[in-house]
Amino acid sequence: MSGFWSGWIILITLGNIFACYWLVRWTTKKRPGESAMGDVTGHKWDGLEEFNNPLPRWWLWLFYITIVFSLVYLVLFPGLGTFKGVLNWSSQGSQYGAEMESAAQTYDPIFKKYAAMPVDQVAQDEEAQGMGRRMFLSYCAQCHGSDAGGGKGFPNLTDNDWLYGGAPEQIKQTIMAGRQAAMPAHKERVDAAGIESLAHYVMSLSGRKEADAAKVAQGQQLFTANGCLACHGVDGKGNQAMGAPNLTDSTWLYGSSLDTIKETIANGRNGQMPAQGDFLGADKVHLLTAYVYSLSQKK
C-alpha cells in the first residue's frame, strides 16, 4: 500500500471516530432557553405531549467507552493504513498459523492413514466417506452441486459417464492437475448452414429422431472434412485421453437442444476444472478421490 493511501485511510478512520465524539457532544449540549426536562416537540396525541428529553448519562457514557475502545484497539492492532499496531499482531502469522499447525497435528495422521490405502478400500470406509463428503461440500459443491449432480457445463459425478475416465488414478489426476477443455470454434470455417447440418448429424449419433435426414448426410461429410473424428472418433464415441465426449449416448454437458449443439460447434467450449493439488496436497486429494469414485459406484 502506498503512503498516500495509507495516510488517506488513517485520516478517514480517525476523522470518523472524532466526528462521532463531536456528534454526541453536540446533541447533548443544552440549548439557550431549554428546560432541564427538555422541550415539548409539539407532537400531541390523545392529551399526551412528546418531550425532547436528554439521553440518560449512563447511555452517553457507553458511547464514550466505545470511542475510547476503538482508539485503544487501533493503537494495539492493525487498522490504520500500514501501521501494524504496537503488538505487531497478524492473523496470517499468529492466529492462522497456530490454527493450521494445530489442525495439522490432529488430522494429518488420519489423512496419511487413508493415503496408504487403495482408493477402492477408502471408498468403502464410513469415516473416510464422511470426511470426503465434507471436503467435497467445501471445495467442489460450488460447481458440481451438493448432490454432485452437476449442472450446465459441470459434469454429473454420480453416473458412469466420464470425459477423462472414471478409474481412481484418472479421477485423482483430474483433481490434482485440473483439466482444460479444448473444443475449437468452427464458425470461421463452416457457414451457418454447415453448422446446422453438423448439429443434426451429432443429434443423429445418439439416435435422436428429430434429426433431419438430408442435413444428417451433409453433416456427416462435414464431420469428416473438418477433423471432428480426430477427437470424437469415426464412430463418435469420443476419446477419454483427450477429454472428447461420447456423442452417441444421452449425456450432454451443456445441453442437447439443437440450438445448444449449434452454439457448441460454432463457438467451441473451453471449460476448466481447476487444479487442487497445490491447495489440498496429495493426501487430501487421495481421500477426495475416493469419495468422488464412490459416487458412481453406488448405482
Side-chain angles (χ1 to χ4, degrees):
M1 183 186 299
S2 67
F4 170 79
W5 288 113
S6 177
W8 179 252
I9 292 172
I10 293 173
L11 178 64
I12 292 295
T13 303
L14 295 180
N16 275 278
I17 292 174
F18 286 110
C20 290
Y21 172 77
W22 173 84
L23 181 62
V24 172
R25 296 289 298 172
W26 180 79
T27 55
T28 56
K29 183 178 180 181
K30 186 176 179 180
R31 306 298 191 273
E34 186 178 58
S35 67
M37 294 299 295
D39 292 334
V40 178
T41 63
H43 297 163
K44 295 182 179 181
W45 181 81
D46 198 21
L48 301 175
E49 292 183 320
E50 181 181 355
F51 280 79
N52 183 21
N53 292 319
L55 290 172
R57 300 300 298 177
W58 65 267
W59 198 336
L60 289 175
W61 276 108
L62 287 179
F63 282 112
Y64 294 136
I65 290 172
T66 58
I67 291 173
V68 173
F69 174 84
S70 65
L71 292 174
V72 173
Y73 180 92
L74 291 173
V75 170
L76 298 177
F77 298 97
L80 293 175
T82 56
F83 176 64
K84 296 182 179 180
V86 297
L87 296 181
N88 200 30
W89 181 89
S90 169
S91 61
Q92 180 69 24
S94 303
Q95 180 178 341
Y96 178 77
E99 290 177 356
M100 289 299 292
E101 183 178 354
S102 175
Q105 292 176 356
T106 302
Y107 297 110
D108 279 1
I110 301 176
F111 286 119
K112 290 186 181 300
K113 179 186 74 171
Y114 289 122
M117 298 168 55
V119 168
D120 57 345
Q121 291 185 19
V122 180
Q124 298 174 13
D125 186 283
E126 185 175 349
E127 181 187 27
Q129 285 295 284
M131 295 175 64
R133 173 169 173 76
R134 289 189 289 273
M135 291 174 61
F136 184 89
L137 292 174
S138 296
Y139 307 123
C140 312
Q142 293 85 349
C143 294
H144 295 284
S146 59
D147 61 352
K152 184 175 182 178
F154 302 103
N156 179 357
L157 303 179
T158 66
D159 58 20
N160 281 299
D161 192 276
W162 299 87
L163 284 174
Y164 294 91
E169 62 273 12
Q170 293 167 325
I171 297 175
K172 180 180 286 188
Q173 177 65 19
T174 297
I175 299 174
M176 284 288 292
R179 301 290 186 181
Q180 176 62 61
M183 164 65 188
H186 288 75
K187 61 184 178 182
E188 298 298 331
R189 51 183 174 178
V190 182
D191 60 18
I195 289 175
E196 176 94 11
S197 297
L198 272 169
H200 276 269
Y201 175 67
V202 170
M203 290 172 62
S204 73
L205 291 173
S206 57
R208 303 275 292 280
K209 296 181 178 180
E210 62 267 38
D212 183 270
K215 293 179 179 178
V216 167
Q218 183 182 6
Q220 185 175 14
Q221 296 177 1
L222 291 170
F223 190 85
T224 302
N226 286 277
C228 303
L229 49 78
C231 295
H232 296 285
V234 177
D235 55 3
K237 291 188 176 181
N239 185 343
Q240 291 185 345
M242 304 175 64
N246 181 357
L247 303 178
T248 66
D249 59 18
S250 58
T251 301
W252 300 85
L253 187 57
Y254 290 92
S256 60
S257 69
L258 178 62
D259 288 341
T260 301
I261 297 173
K262 287 165 59 178
E263 179 186 357
T264 298
I265 297 171
N267 300 321
R269 299 292 184 183
N270 294 283
Q272 183 180 26
M273 159 69 189
Q276 302 293 325
D278 291 340
F279 174 63
L280 294 177
D283 292 348
K284 292 182 181 178
V285 168
H286 187 83
L287 185 59
L288 187 56
T289 297
Y291 176 74
V292 173
Y293 175 73
S294 73
L295 294 174
S296 59
Q297 304 301 307
K298 296 176 181 178
K299 294 185 176 182

